[in-house]
Amino acid sequence: MSNKFDVVVIGGGPAGYVAAIRAAQLGMNVACIDKWLDLNDKPSLGGTCLNAGCIPSKALLESSELYDRANSEFADHGIKTSGVELDLAQMQKRKAGVVSQLTGGIGSLFKANGVKSYAGRGQVVDSGEVLFVGHDGKEETLQAENIVIAAGSEPVELDIAKFDGDRIVDSWGALELDEVPKKLGVIGAGYIGVELGSVWSRLGSDVTLLEAVDDFMPIADRDVAKEGLKSFKKQGLDIQLGARVTEAKATKKGVEVKYTQGDESHSVTFDRLIVAVGRRPHTKDLCAKGARVELDDKGFIDVNDQFRTSLPGVYAVGDVVSNPMLAHKGMEEGVAVAEILAGQKPHLNYDVIPSVVYTHPEMAWVGKSEAQVKSAGTDYRVGQVPFAANGRAKALGQQGGFIKMIADAKTDEILGVHMIGPYVSELVQEMVVAMEYKASSEDIARIIHGHPTLGETVHETALAVDGRPIHFPPKRSKK
């Protein structure tokens, strides 16, 4: 078979497989190289997101939440249960099934769109040339008019807490535990750490999260972060802020962890330890020594606004190019780079990328936080309404949390929306669309929202920006 292609994509994660499919749709001859092997050492498309991140974590979050609710909430709904038992093996089996269906689906999409799939490693040799090394060690040189690097990212490993795949694990290992640890430690209280901690806490672990910074989730609006911290602590998560881990030593009995907090030193032993301190771009050995693909000081590939690297004919998208390291950001970049190669002029608005934390309650936001707006010197108004005022939230028994909307005081354009509460991962999408089209709070206030729905809180919050909520007492706007 021919080894000449219009486009060779290195990486089969969200950015890579989407770039490959879109390029094929636009009439190009496309190959996609992906190195991922599942736990059975079989090739599996989808990258970290589908195999060891977004999808399996959400499957376990859903299962663990149902288990927790069966034990703590069903009685309030008039559902009597007794002898509720955890079958972790079945829970893990279901999760694996969800992953298998989606990763297999990508293979089917490749076939349907005529994308040739290569299982193994890809390395950029020079413009138009990629070295492919299969999992069996066989090498093949692929020729391409254009190369797209979409190799993704990998968990950051700490020198003081090396992964051993047993006692000390990364985020993938944390999703594959075959028993519930009695005492679980998590280094890092970002969205990955909190999500993973939540899963095992619901299933019965005594969970402690050690976060080096003094503020909880600094990437979130302060009001949302404060509410989240309160909710998670109420659920039993022990979140220690300003806790700097200095040593983690695995033994036969567990993991001995030492950390400092202010002037105090602490020592604690966990059965298992999850290290979730972030991710870094997977760019090591991605390019041959002679390939002039420039990286920045953090290891990200330098690209221009057309995703072009310093090497002609070579492009890069997704986690390898910049933050935020989000699957949906990578997907849209994958679409964009394919359309650029086809001579089109796609548009990406990085100012309205939604962020979601799939805890209970969920946290989601888009746009600027209040601190960012204030720091920019913009005159603004704020509307904030709790879900406690929403009929659907009360019926669900999930009336905690709120929605906060920030609008420009002069133009009324929505600058940011921040949420914590039931299904806000879905509610935030309305605001992404609104902000993409430069909507004002008045625009949202004049749109009829269905009743009773959680979306009514979005409507009510827009009204609150102007100090005229209907179902919640008005509150003076901040300035």
Side-chain angles (χ1 to χ4, degrees), residues 66-84:
L66 290 173
Y67 175 73
D68 182 62
R69 294 186 67 189
N71 282 301
S72 62
E73 294 183 21
F74 281 9
D76 290 340
H77 290 268
I79 303 172
K80 294 182 178 180
T81 58
S82 61
V84 176

Side-chain angles (χ1 to χ4, degrees), residues 87-95:
D87 185 344
L88 183 58
Q90 174 58 31
M91 191 176 288
Q92 292 285 26
K93 181 180 178 180
R94 174 187 178 274
K95 177 209 70 182

